[in-house]
C-alpha cells in the first residue's frame, strides 16, 4: 500500500500559491511598485497556475487578486476607465485561456521543451489577441490607428517579455523536478 504524505502535498501547494501571489503583486506593471517594477508576468503566472493547481477555484482566487490590484491602483493615466469597460472583460478572458491551456499540459509534457514551447506559444498568441482585440473594440476609447497598427504596436514587447518568462518557468520546472528526483533517490538509499 502506498503511503501518501498529505502534509507535504499541502505545504507544496501553499508554497506555490504564495509564490504565484507574490509574483502577481511584484509584476503588475506600474500598479504598485513605481520605483521597482518588473514587466507584467500575469499571463505566464496564470499559465503556471493552470499547470500546477488546475482547480478553477484557484483561477478565481488569482482573478480576484488581479482585479483587486487593478481596482485599487490602476495604471497611471487610466484610473477608473481602465476597469469599467467591456475591454477589461477580454483581459479576464485571456487569463482564463492561459489557465485552461496550462491545464492541458500534463505531467509528462511539461518536461518536453518542444511541447511546452508549442502550447506556450499558442497560449501567448491567444492571450495577446483576445486581450488586445477586446481592448481595441470594446473599451470605448477613441483609437486613431487601424487595428493592424494597434496590434503591432505592443506585439514585440509583449512577446519578448512573455517568452522570457515562459523560458524561466520551464527552467524552474526542470530544476525543481531534478531537485525532487535527487531528494527521493537519497531518501531510498
Amino acid at each position: 500500500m502506498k503511503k501518501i504524505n498529505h502534509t507535504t502535498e499541502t505545504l507544496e501547494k501553499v508554497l506555490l500559491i504564495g509564490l504565484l501571489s507574490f509574483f502577481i503583486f511584484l509584476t503588475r506593471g506600474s500598479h504598485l511598485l513605481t520605483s521597482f517594477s518588473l514587466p507584467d508576468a500575469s499571463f505566464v503566472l496564470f499559465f503556471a497556475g493552470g499547470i500546477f493547481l488546475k482547480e478553477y477555484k484557484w483561477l478565481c482566487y488569482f482573478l480576484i487578486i488581479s482585479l483587486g490590484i487593478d481596482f485599487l491602483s490602476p495604471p497611471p493615466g487610466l484610473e477608473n476607465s481602465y476597469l469599467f469597460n467591456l475591454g477589461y472583460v477580454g483581459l479576464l478572458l485571456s487569463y482564463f485561456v492561459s489557465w485552461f491551456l496550462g491545464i492541458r499540459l500534463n505531467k509528462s509534457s511539461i518536461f518536453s521543451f518542444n511541447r511546452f514551447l508549442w502550447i506556450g506559444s499558442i497560449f501567448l498568441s491567444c492571450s495577446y489577441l483576445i486581450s488586445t482585440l477586446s481592448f481595441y473594440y470594446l473599451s470605448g476609447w477613441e483609437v486613431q490607428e487601424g487595428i493592424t497598427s494597434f496590434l503591432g504596436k505592443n506585439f514585440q514587447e509583449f512577446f519578448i517579455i512573455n517568452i522570457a518568462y515562459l523560458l524561466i518557468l520551464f527552467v524552474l520546472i526542470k530544476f525543481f523536478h531534478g531537485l525532487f528526483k535527487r531528494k527521493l533517490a537519497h531518501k531510498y538509499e
Side-chain angles (χ1 to χ4, degrees):
M1 182 185 282
K2 185 177 180 182
K3 186 177 179 181
I4 299 174
N5 188 349
H6 292 290
T7 307
T8 304
E9 288 178 7
T10 304
L11 184 61
E12 288 173 0
K13 187 176 261 190
V14 167
L15 180 63
L16 181 62
I17 292 166
L19 281 171
L20 290 176
S21 299
F22 172 74
F23 284 114
I24 282 179
F25 278 105
L26 186 65
T27 65
R28 284 301 279 185
S30 60
H31 289 40
L32 298 173
L33 306 169
T34 53
S35 61
F36 176 77
S37 111
L38 296 171
D40 189 9
S42 298
F43 291 111
V44 174
L45 293 170
F46 275 88
F47 186 64
I51 292 170
F52 296 109
L53 299 173
K54 301 208 184 299
E55 298 173 69
Y56 287 106
K57 68 180 179 184
W58 297 118
L59 169 64
C60 293
Y61 167 77
F62 289 112
L63 284 174
I64 289 169
I65 287 176
S66 296
L67 270 167
I69 292 169
D70 291 345
F71 183 74
L72 295 173
S73 60
L78 295 179
E79 285 72 37
N80 289 337
S81 62
Y82 178 65
L83 264 186
F84 302 113
N85 67 59
L86 288 175
Y88 192 80
V89 174
L91 178 65
L92 298 178
L93 178 63
S94 63
Y95 289 155
F96 176 80
V97 168
S98 299
W99 191 279
F100 180 77
L101 288 172
I103 289 173
R104 294 295 163 247
L105 277 173
N106 59 29
K107 293 286 185 193
S108 63
S109 64
I110 61 173
F111 302 112
S112 162
F113 182 73
N114 289 339
R115 177 126 169 108
F116 188 86
L117 195 58
W118 172 247
I119 291 184
S121 298
I122 291 171
F123 115 75
L124 285 178
S125 299
C126 290
S127 296
Y128 182 72
L129 289 173
I130 291 169
S131 65
T132 306
L133 289 174
S134 64
F135 183 82
Y136 183 83
Y137 286 114
L138 302 175
S139 70
W141 287 22
E142 287 287 325
V143 181
Q144 302 299 324
E145 55 201 333
I147 186 67
T148 53
S149 62
F150 187 77
L151 278 171
K153 187 166 60 173
N154 298 316
F155 176 83
Q156 187 175 5
E157 179 184 353
F158 177 88
F159 278 95
I160 288 172
I161 290 167
N162 283 290
I163 286 174
Y165 280 139
L166 196 62
L167 292 174
I168 290 168
L169 176 63
F170 183 77
V171 168
L172 288 173
I173 289 170
K174 294 290 265 185
F175 173 76
F176 284 109
H177 177 70
L179 188 68
F180 289 129
K181 259 179 138 173
R182 269 186 297 211
K183 181 180 168 186
L184 287 174
H186 288 293
K187 186 176 181 180
Y188 293 110
E189 286 180 350

